[in-house]
Amino acid sequence: MNKLFIELGASLASSKPIRNIIAPYSFETIEEFRSKHNNVDIFISVFRYDNEDIRKANQYGPLYFDLDGLYAQDDLRALINFLTQHKYPENSIKLYYSGNKGFHLELPFKSLGIDGYQKLNKLYEIIAKEIKSTIHAPSIDTGMSDARRRWRWPNSVNSKSDLYKIPLALEEVILPLDQIKALAKVPRKDFKHSEPGIWNEFADILEKAKRKLRNSTYKGGVLEPVEEGQRNDATFKRAIRLKAQGKTFEEAVEICAQIQDKPPLSLVEVKRTVASAYQDKYAVEVIKNKKAEKEEDGETTSFLVTQ
């Protein structure tokens, strides 16, 4: 893997926040930053980036959940149950008390068995929204999905409470909140998480999220469903547009096949029509403009994680 970078921040909720500090990723770098800012309100990006220009970088980082509010602890237990029921290795779950009103849960990147991805934050958002809906956990904050999301660093002080963000063992999430707060009066520097195991099912979950993200990008206009009698012509126009956007033949077939025309064309007919559009005689200029980029950054809706 190439050299990785992180974004550092401190005192983000104050009148003088420290932010936009891009640095090579290392434990020593983080510890030096922690010491410089007295270990109070220390944040690092959830993701590691393989390019110093993090807007263009692939993202590497845990699937993360922020739970906040009155029912955060109950929702945390429900989330843990959901993950273990879906065969996530229990000992690989990383849990934290935030030092104030909430909890953080991380599924380490290594446990997911995936590569870095430029819009990993968007894929995580899709997955988190579906899980939130499935387990009815309102305290899961799915608005924390931007590409530069910063995360409070473990064993740093939360200035709102003067307590530490501390790691928790799985069995400690059932403790009364007052007892957890008592634990958070001091850092837990000697706490060790288990070496992550692999969540074998995640590759399929991620592919479903990728399809959902692609489909959300191509709503509107020529990709809207049409009535019988217009389907072949519409499919050809869709294929030309997707070809201009740099999509492969296989990607164009997948996108066109999922559009719900009334009634939908058969997969054989979709492939035949897309293949026609992808002939060399139909030359196109590859589209890359600000509007397309804006659409790609748009909101997405949830999808069904489970079979």
Side-chain angles (χ1 to χ4, degrees):
M1 186 183 298
N2 296 332
K3 186 176 184 179
L4 297 178
F5 297 87
I6 53 172
E7 183 174 1
L8 298 164
S11 305
L12 298 183
S14 74
S15 60
K16 296 182 178 180
I18 298 163
R19 61 179 69 188
N20 301 325
I21 298 174
I22 310 300
Y25 169 60
S26 72
F27 181 75
E28 291 74 21
T29 297
I30 298 169
E31 288 303 299
E32 181 180 340
F33 185 81
R34 182 208 293 267
S35 177
K36 181 178 179 180
H37 297 285
N38 301 315
N39 198 32
V40 176
D41 293 334
I42 304 301
F43 292 81
I44 74 164
S45 51
V46 173
F47 296 109
R48 317 294 180 253
Y49 308 93
D50 63 2
N51 191 314
E52 194 167 5
D53 184 349
I54 62 179
R55 297 169 301 172
K56 300 177 181 178
N58 288 319
Q59 302 161 357
Y60 303 80
L63 176 57
Y64 60 99
F65 298 85
D66 178 58
L67 302 95
D68 199 16
L70 184 61
Y71 300 105
Q73 197 168 357
D74 291 337
D75 288 349
L76 178 65
R77 296 177 193 134
L79 177 57
I80 293 168
N81 287 336
F82 175 89
L83 293 168
T84 54
Q85 287 170 7
H86 288 78
K87 301 180 181 179
Y88 185 83
E90 184 176 86
N91 291 336
S92 298
I93 298 174
K94 298 175 74 171
L95 303 169
Y96 300 90
Y97 167 60
S98 73
N100 190 28
K101 298 183 296 181
F103 296 86
H104 299 161
L105 182 149
E106 297 180 11
L107 307 183
F109 184 76
K110 187 175 179 180
S111 74
L112 304 178
I114 60 174
D115 295 324
Y117 195 79
Q118 197 167 18
K119 290 187 179 293
L120 191 58
N121 62 305
K122 290 293 185 182
L123 299 174
Y124 282 176
E125 178 185 19
I126 292 169
I127 294 166
K129 282 183 175 180
E130 174 58 23
I131 292 176
K132 176 179 179 175
S133 175
T134 300
I135 66 174
H136 308 293
S139 65
I140 295 177
D141 185 354
T142 54
M144 297 182 57
S145 58
D146 52 283
R148 299 177 65 171
R149 171 56 51 187
R150 288 173 290 261
W151 204 233
R152 190 177 294 275
W153 188 241
N155 292 315
S156 64
V157 176
N158 188 322
S159 64
K160 294 177 182 178
S161 63
D162 287 329
L163 298 175
Y164 290 84
K165 174 180 174 176
I166 57 169
L168 295 172
L170 201 61
E171 59 270 17
E172 289 177 321
V173 300
I174 64 171
L175 293 175
L177 185 57
D178 286 346
Q179 290 187 34
I180 294 176
K181 288 183 176 181
L183 293 174
K185 290 180 179 180
V186 295
R188 306 183 93 181
K189 295 181 180 179
D190 296 329
F191 189 98
K192 300 293 184 185
H193 287 105
S194 300
E195 185 68 18
I198 300 297
W199 190 12
N200 294 317
E201 287 78 7
F202 189 73
D204 183 55
I205 292 172
L206 189 69
E207 284 305 311
K208 291 178 182 177
K210 286 181 180 179
R211 289 197 294 270
K212 185 67 178 179
L213 182 59
R214 285 197 297 268
N215 290 344
S216 71
T217 302
Y218 300 117
K219 290 178 181 176
V222 73
L223 298 179
E224 285 291 328
V226 297
E227 302 289 338
E228 189 171 6
Q230 304 173 357
R231 297 171 300 168
N232 288 86
D233 185 52
T235 300
F236 182 86
K237 291 178 180 177
R238 293 162 187 161
I240 289 292
R241 174 175 168 178
L242 294 169
K243 181 180 179 181
Q245 291 174 339
K247 297 300 175 185
T248 67
F249 168 74
E250 290 76 16
E251 288 172 333
V253 168
E254 182 179 355
I255 292 167
C256 290
Q258 293 189 28
I259 296 173
Q260 295 299 304
D261 290 332
K262 303 173 184 179
L265 289 176
S266 68
L267 181 58
V268 171
E269 190 67 6
V270 169
K271 286 183 176 179
R272 185 192 67 77
T273 307
V274 173
S276 178
Y278 270 66
Q279 293 179 82
D280 290 340
K281 65 181 180 180
Y282 297 112
V284 296
E285 181 177 350
V286 175
I287 296 171
K288 188 62 180 177
N289 55 42
K290 294 290 184 182
K291 183 179 179 180
E293 290 175 0
K294 184 176 180 181
E295 287 175 353
E296 288 180 5
D297 287 335
E299 291 266 23
T300 60
T301 54
S302 61
F303 80 119
L304 189 61
V305 172
T306 53
Q307 294 289 347

